[in-house]
């Protein structure tokens, strides 16, 4: 089955859990099919009551429920429709696709598997932007929601798109089931889903403080860059690149590696007692650019926007997300790549607790 919904939240920016928990989120339509039966559709946006067969199937733990990117549908059923179900009652054809190094996007996976063109609808984003989000504000029209009766022709396209997505999911499943994951892997996936659903507690006060300090520092550095370069907007790549090239910058972009190499070349000449062709102001602007474009602090923005009201950050691990290896992939802020603690923490206190440095592993020479 496949659900389409409306919300004031943007699922791409806040994640499925926070999206589904928002008070404005509501299901618009559900396309579904049992086994090999024809696809049916429930359209709550038009006031239709939930079919009894849908309610029974969702609440019956013995009936397996299939959905592409199950996490979205499961969260809608659980938090928007108040019909929680155990993870063991679900399967996800996307997981099957990822386990075979196929794309995780339904459209792209269907293209790789050469589904018939009628199942490869590419205008879904256009329809979702019409009915699942607020329309952008214009000078003559403020931002508003478009209801089904206001754009009836487009709404019919949306219904058809929903039905075709469900049919596409089923056809992909039929192709992939001969390579299905062994049962013990599905059990591991169920555990993965429970871990993701439980989430990780986040210190939101610390997160907010980091963002505020970062924003203040970035503003200060941009102001200094503006004073040096006299540019209207030194944060605009085209403007800054032109200024740097006028000073002798050798590259045609502002990639972090190129900025670093330019600074290193300048510093090497100074160390050798040579006089660089560029000024000290050029070197300072490179340094400032490197600081304001640093990505390490941007993870706090992702954590802040994805954390639920209960203070837990969910769905940070993608099962079989790494192609060919079946390893977990990190999502939201890459939780598998956090900096390891050092001995500098030894002796510090947290509340009434003194922190002691953990002993290094004798076998691996690294933190256990």
């Amino acid at each position: 089955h496949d659900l389409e919904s409306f919300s004031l939240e943007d699922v791409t920016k806040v994640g499925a859990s926070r999206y589904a928990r928002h008070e404005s989120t509501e299901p618009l339509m559900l396309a579904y099919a049992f086994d090999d039966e024809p696809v049916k559709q429930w359209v709550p946006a038009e006031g239709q009551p939930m079919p009894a067969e849908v309610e029974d199937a969702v609440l019956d733990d013995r009936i397996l429920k299939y959905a592409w990117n199950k996490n979205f549908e499961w969260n809608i059923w659980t938090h928007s429709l108040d019909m929680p179900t155990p993870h063991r009652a679900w399967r996800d054809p996307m997981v099957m696709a990822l386990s075979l190094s196929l794309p995780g996007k339904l459209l792209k996976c269907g293209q790789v598997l050469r589904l018939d063109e009628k199942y490869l609808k590419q205008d879904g984003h256009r329809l979702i932007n019409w009915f699942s989000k607020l329309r952008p504000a214009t000078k003559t029209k403020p931002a508003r929601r478009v209801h089904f009766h206001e754009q009836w022709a487009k709404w019919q396209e949306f219904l058809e798109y929903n039905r075709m997505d469900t049919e596409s999911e089923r056809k992909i499943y039929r192709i992939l089931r001969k390579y299905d994951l062994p049962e013990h892997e599905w059990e591991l996936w169920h555990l993965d889903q429970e871990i993701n659903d439980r989430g990780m507690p986040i210190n939101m006060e610390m997160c907010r403080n980091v963002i505020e300090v970062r924003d203040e520092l970035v503003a200060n550095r941009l102001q200094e860059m503006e004073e040096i370069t006299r540019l209207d907007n030194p944060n605009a790549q085209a403007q800054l690149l032109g200024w740097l090239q006028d000073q002798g910058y050798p590259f045609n972009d502002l990639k972090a590696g190129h900025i670093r190499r330019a600074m290193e070349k300048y510093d090497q000449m100074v160390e050798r007692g040579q006089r660089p062709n560029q000024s000290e102001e050029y070197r300072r602007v490179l340094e400032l650019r490197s600081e304001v474009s640093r990505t390490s602090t941007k993870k706090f923005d992702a954590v802040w926007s994805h954390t639920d009201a209960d203070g837990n950050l969910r769905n940070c691990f993608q099962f079989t997300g790494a192609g060919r290896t079946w390893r977990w992939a990190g999502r939201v802020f890459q939780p598998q790549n956090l900096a390891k603690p050092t001995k500098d923490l030894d002796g510090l206190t947290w509340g009434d607790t003194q922190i002691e440095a953990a002993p290094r592993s004798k076998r691996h020479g690294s933190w256990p």
Side-chain angles (χ1 to χ4, degrees), residues 174-190:
R174 288 171 175 170
I175 295 172
L176 301 185
R177 62 185 172 185
K178 67 177 69 175
Y179 312 107
D180 198 0
L181 280 71
E183 189 59 31
H184 67 267
E185 289 293 337
W186 282 120
E187 293 176 3
L188 184 59
W189 177 69
H190 292 149

Side-chain angles (χ1 to χ4, degrees), residues 350-367:
W350 180 264
D352 298 329
T353 304
Q354 184 173 11
I355 300 174
E356 297 182 0
R360 289 186 176 273
S361 167
K362 294 181 180 179
R363 183 174 181 183
H364 300 291
S366 60
W367 293 101

Side-chain angles (χ1 to χ4, degrees), residues 122-138:
Q122 302 192 39
D123 56 354
H125 287 296
R126 176 179 62 87
L127 296 169
I128 289 172
N129 287 334
W130 267 102
F131 296 105
S132 296
K133 306 175 182 179
L134 288 181
R135 296 291 294 167
T138 65

Side-chain angles (χ1 to χ4, degrees), residues 12-210:
T12 63
K13 296 180 179 179
V14 302
S17 178
R18 184 163 172 174
Y19 175 91
R21 294 167 190 260
H22 196 267
E23 59 184 7
S24 68
T25 302
E26 61 180 80
L28 297 176
M29 61 187 72
L30 168 75
Y32 64 96
F34 291 92
D35 300 322
D36 296 327
E37 296 178 6
V39 173
K40 301 178 182 180
Q41 199 163 33
W42 167 48
V43 190
E46 297 181 14
Q48 298 177 8
M50 182 183 297
E53 62 180 358
V54 171
E55 182 177 5
D56 293 342
V58 171
L59 297 178
D60 190 339
D61 298 348
R62 298 169 300 176
I63 295 180
L64 286 179
K65 288 155 274 289
Y66 287 80
W68 191 274
N69 189 17
K70 161 263 179 186
N71 183 46
F72 178 81
E73 268 72 16
W74 184 89
N75 273 285
I76 294 294
W77 284 114
T78 301
H79 302 296
S80 296
L81 292 166
D82 196 24
M83 296 174 64
T85 56
H87 297 290
R88 66 177 182 275
W90 289 77
R91 292 287 190 275
D92 191 341
M94 185 183 74
V95 172
M96 300 168 67
L98 292 174
S99 72
L100 297 170
S101 296
L102 292 170
K105 295 288 187 180
L106 180 63
L107 173 62
K108 292 183 178 180
C109 187
Q111 290 172 336
V112 171
L113 296 178
R114 299 181 181 179
L115 295 187
D116 190 280
E117 283 297 323
K118 68 179 180 179
Y119 301 115
L120 303 176
K121 299 286 186 179
Q122 302 192 39
D123 56 354
H125 287 296
R126 176 179 62 87
L127 296 169
I128 289 172
N129 287 334
W130 267 102
F131 296 105
S132 296
K133 306 175 182 179
L134 288 181
R135 296 291 294 167
T138 65
K139 292 182 178 179
T140 58
K141 294 181 180 180
R144 66 184 186 93
R145 178 179 177 180
V146 178
H147 295 275
F148 70 94
H149 54 81
E150 298 173 311
Q151 293 288 338
W152 184 249
K154 286 186 172 64
W155 180 253
Q156 297 306 308
E157 292 181 38
F158 201 17
L159 293 173
E160 175 66 11
Y161 166 76
N162 180 225
R163 293 191 293 267
M164 283 296 100
D165 260 9
T166 299
E167 194 63 77
S168 298
E169 294 176 22
R170 184 163 63 173
K171 287 190 174 296
I172 290 175
Y173 166 72
R174 288 171 175 170
I175 295 172
L176 301 185
R177 62 185 172 185
K178 67 177 69 175
Y179 312 107
D180 198 0
L181 280 71
E183 189 59 31
H184 67 267
E185 289 293 337
W186 282 120
E187 293 176 3
L188 184 59
W189 177 69
H190 292 149
L191 175 60
D192 160 84
Q193 295 297 284
E194 292 180 14
I195 292 171
N196 273 305
D197 180 41
R198 182 174 299 172
M200 297 179 288
I202 299 297
N203 186 334
M204 294 298 286
E205 182 179 2
M206 182 274 290
C207 187
R208 183 183 65 249
N209 291 341
V210 170

Side-chain angles (χ1 to χ4, degrees), residues 141-353:
K141 294 181 180 180
R144 66 184 186 93
R145 178 179 177 180
V146 178
H147 295 275
F148 70 94
H149 54 81
E150 298 173 311
Q151 293 288 338
W152 184 249
K154 286 186 172 64
W155 180 253
Q156 297 306 308
E157 292 181 38
F158 201 17
L159 293 173
E160 175 66 11
Y161 166 76
N162 180 225
R163 293 191 293 267
M164 283 296 100
D165 260 9
T166 299
E167 194 63 77
S168 298
E169 294 176 22
R170 184 163 63 173
K171 287 190 174 296
I172 290 175
Y173 166 72
R174 288 171 175 170
I175 295 172
L176 301 185
R177 62 185 172 185
K178 67 177 69 175
Y179 312 107
D180 198 0
L181 280 71
E183 189 59 31
H184 67 267
E185 289 293 337
W186 282 120
E187 293 176 3
L188 184 59
W189 177 69
H190 292 149
L191 175 60
D192 160 84
Q193 295 297 284
E194 292 180 14
I195 292 171
N196 273 305
D197 180 41
R198 182 174 299 172
M200 297 179 288
I202 299 297
N203 186 334
M204 294 298 286
E205 182 179 2
M206 182 274 290
C207 187
R208 183 183 65 249
N209 291 341
V210 170
I211 293 173
E212 290 178 354
V213 170
R214 187 273 316 277
D215 289 346
E216 182 177 354
L217 291 175
V218 168
N220 291 339
R221 278 148 179 74
L222 287 176
Q223 182 178 354
E224 184 178 350
M225 291 172 68
E226 184 177 345
E227 293 172 354
I228 295 174
T229 63
R230 303 298 180 185
L231 295 173
D232 294 332
N233 181 13
N235 201 33
Q237 291 202 24
Q239 291 187 35
L240 183 60
L241 179 61
W243 186 90
L244 287 172
Q245 289 178 332
D246 289 343
Q247 306 296 313
Y249 181 71
F251 303 107
N252 291 320
D253 58 60
L254 297 177
K255 293 180 179 179
H258 288 164
I259 293 288
R260 184 172 57 253
R261 287 171 59 184
M263 288 192 293
E264 291 173 352
K265 182 178 180 180
Y266 183 96
D267 294 340
Q268 289 170 359
M269 293 186 68
V270 172
E271 290 175 1
R272 290 195 296 263
Q274 300 174 349
R275 184 175 181 177
N277 296 327
Q278 299 87 2
S279 65
E280 292 183 3
E281 290 183 333
Y282 162 85
R283 174 62 172 79
R284 178 57 178 164
V285 169
L286 289 175
E287 182 180 3
L288 293 170
R289 170 65 187 184
S290 179
E291 292 183 7
V292 300
S293 60
R294 187 176 298 165
T295 60
S296 59
T297 59
K298 293 180 180 178
K299 67 181 65 176
F300 290 96
D301 296 296
V303 169
W304 178 267
S305 64
H306 283 71
T307 300
D308 289 322
D310 63 359
N312 285 323
L313 176 63
R314 294 177 168 88
N315 303 312
C316 289
F317 302 97
Q318 176 71 61
F319 188 80
T320 67
R324 296 177 295 279
T325 66
W326 284 28
R327 292 180 301 195
W328 273 264
R331 296 292 181 257
V332 182
F333 77 111
Q334 186 47 282
Q336 301 177 115
N337 192 28
L338 296 175
K340 297 180 180 180
T342 69
K343 286 187 176 181
D344 295 337
L345 295 175
D346 193 16
L348 297 179
T349 58
W350 180 264
D352 298 329
T353 304

